[in-house]
């Protein structure tokens, strides 16, 4: 399929995954989905944070005060979730 990407994982048991990278933004307390976006190609996790936060800001008309992410997002210029 043309919309499926090969994502290199670099792990011994699972070297590749096939699909499309997506970002899902939820509220911290209730778990409501407030944003969902797909990213074609194989972008690095840290490079998907800003577009995901921008989408949440557009859809909810509020800027998030806190973004809880894993270690792949560290050090990519997002000091505060400002869009």
């Amino acid at each position: 399929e043309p919309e499926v990407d090969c994502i290199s994982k670099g792990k011994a048991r699972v070297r590749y995954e096939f699909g499309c990278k997506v970002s899902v933004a939820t509220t911290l307390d209730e778990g409501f989905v407030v944003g969902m976006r797909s990213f074609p190609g194989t972008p690095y996790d840290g490079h998907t944070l800003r577009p995901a936060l921008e989408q949440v800001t557009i859809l909810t008309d509020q800027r998030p005060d806190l973004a809880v992410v894993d270690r792949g997002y560290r050090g990519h210029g997002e000091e505060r979730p400002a869009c």
Side-chain angles (χ1 to χ4, degrees):
E1 295 292 322
E3 63 273 357
V4 175
D5 296 314
C6 178
I7 303 168
S8 176
K9 299 299 284 183
K11 298 177 183 174
R13 63 180 180 82
V14 181
R15 295 206 173 167
Y16 300 100
E17 287 183 353
F18 298 93
C20 184
K21 188 169 284 207
V22 296
S23 155
V24 179
T26 63
T27 59
L28 187 61
D29 294 331
E30 295 88 13
F32 293 121
V33 176
V34 292
M36 189 176 297
R37 184 172 182 175
S38 65
F39 296 95
T42 55
Y44 186 70
D45 287 346
H47 299 152
T48 63
L49 180 58
R50 184 176 301 242
L53 291 174
E54 288 173 356
Q55 182 193 40
V56 170
T57 302
I58 291 167
L59 293 175
T60 64
D61 201 29
Q62 294 182 1
R63 291 176 13 169
D65 292 328
L66 174 70
V68 180
V69 296
D70 64 10
R71 290 184 181 192
Y73 293 88
R74 288 189 310 179
H76 290 282
E78 288 295 325
E79 296 296 322
R80 177 178 179 275
C83 300

